[in-house]
Amino acid sequence: MTSFDPDPAQLRSLKDKVVVLTGGANGIGAATVNLFAKSGALIVFGDLDVPAGEKLASNHENGRIHFLRTDVTKYVDNLELFRLALKTYGRVDHALSIAGIVEQGNILDPALTIDDVEKPPTNIVIDVNLVGPLYFVRVAVAYLKHNKQPTDDKSILLFSSVAGFYDSPGLFAYGASKHGVLGLMRCLRHYLPPTFGIRVNAIAPFGTATAMLPQAITNGFPKIGVPVNTPEQVAGVTLGVVAGSHKGKNAEYMAQIGLGAEGGPCNGLTVYVESGKGWELEEGLAATRAEWQGEGPNERLLKANAWLASGAAWTEDQ
Ligand SMILES: NC(=O)c1ccc[n+]([C@@H]2O[C@H](COP(=O)([O-])OP(=O)(O)OC[C@H]3O[C@@H](n4cnc5c(N)ncnc54)[C@H](O)[C@@H]3O)[C@@H](O)[C@H]2O)c1
């Protein structure tokens, strides 16, 4: 795994960049809003938590930060957030989908009987963590490409989790949604740079001390020598990715998974955040692909992907 070390100098490039993000009222999102504000960015953020969102925005009384009540599961709310940014600042440069919720109850409770399962469970976790980002991305792409000049750096950043690539027993809907977010990023990273000149990446934090993590876990992990992140540490890595700060073996890895050079070295990454530091996962996965997938299957799949990338479309009529 390649360590991801954001270049502090690069954060200065975020000055006056227009950033739209969801989930900004609390936890990692709030720390991200604060760090963007410190870097001189112009911010529009949305969240369901109105008191916390308004309080955070009022802490930065300089007209450079705006809050809008947003429910990411509502398509129109995603739209309103980007409309506000365009109306206020005339463009959008970077879009971050951070809002998320943890597992709600146990859909596989051992006590469930055949009578209990007559009633379907709600899909709120999938709605917030996966449908929300899908809506967000659709709207974000249209706003990021609007009036974009060829040299403008535009990006999307999606929030996954350690539960997006590692087995997390009990987190059935949460784990599935966060795997889904990584899947979404992996599909977008081939498409957005050549089509729109937009980079896309994902952040996948380990346990982070926010309201989402039960206190027993926040306190328990350090006792067994496993530190939890602070929201500020995750925000630091997040801004590094948005600023395009990556010095890995990206060119080699991009070729291995059939990614073109259009996205540059900071496209298509999954940055795991643990012990307050970033670790890039995709290079290692790509470099060892023939090993874990098998040489023949890997060769044929790369060929199939290259052919699909040359113009064949999944959505064409048969
Ligand atoms: N805390 C962790 O251990 C951890 C680990 C891995 C990934 N993450 C991910 O990081 C992101 C931020 O989580 P956090 O730890 O800061 O949690 P948090 O609970 O502190 O913050 C989440 C924010 O999302 C908002 N939100 C929830 N539902 C919403 C909706 N429908 N529309 C708009 N906003 C909504 C909440 O009001 C809250 O402000 C999430 O995507 C989460 O899954 C967190």
Side-chain angles (χ1 to χ4, degrees), residues 98-260:
I98 304 180
I101 56 172
V102 76
E103 197 78 11
Q104 310 287 299
N106 182 357
I107 63 159
L108 296 176
D109 189 329
L112 286 174
T113 66
I114 56 169
D115 292 328
D116 296 328
V117 297
E118 291 281 318
K119 194 173 156 228
T122 69
N123 285 321
I124 183 71
V125 177
I126 302 290
D127 287 346
V128 176
N129 294 358
L130 189 53
V131 178
L134 264 170
Y135 288 167
F136 181 87
V137 163
R138 184 166 198 260
V139 179
V141 168
Y143 277 78
L144 289 166
K145 72 169 186 163
H146 183 70
N147 289 338
K148 180 186 179 304
Q149 301 305 306
T151 54
D152 289 347
D153 179 37
K154 305 270 177 171
S155 80
I156 292 177
L157 191 127
L158 303 176
F159 255 72
S160 182
S161 164
V162 60
F165 65 91
Y166 211 80
D167 304 17
S168 306
L171 296 179
F172 308 116
Y174 184 82
S177 69
K178 294 298 182 177
H179 273 73
V181 168
L182 282 195
L184 177 59
M185 185 283 290
R186 287 178 180 144
C187 295
L188 292 168
R189 68 186 177 184
H190 296 263
Y191 186 68
L192 296 188
T195 316
F196 305 108
I198 298 170
R199 298 184 289 119
V200 60
N201 296 289
I203 296 284
F206 179 69
T208 305
T210 70
M212 184 175 283
L213 204 62
Q215 203 63 41
I217 292 182
T218 308
N219 297 334
F221 273 151
K223 287 186 190 146
I224 57 160
V226 180
V228 295
N229 299 304
T230 65
E232 290 72 24
Q233 288 170 328
V234 180
V237 175
T238 299
L239 263 71
V241 176
V242 173
S245 175
H246 183 68
K247 302 184 185 74
K249 295 174 263 160
N250 205 251
E252 188 190 328
Y253 122 81
M254 283 197 300
Q256 272 158 352
I257 57 170
L259 274 175

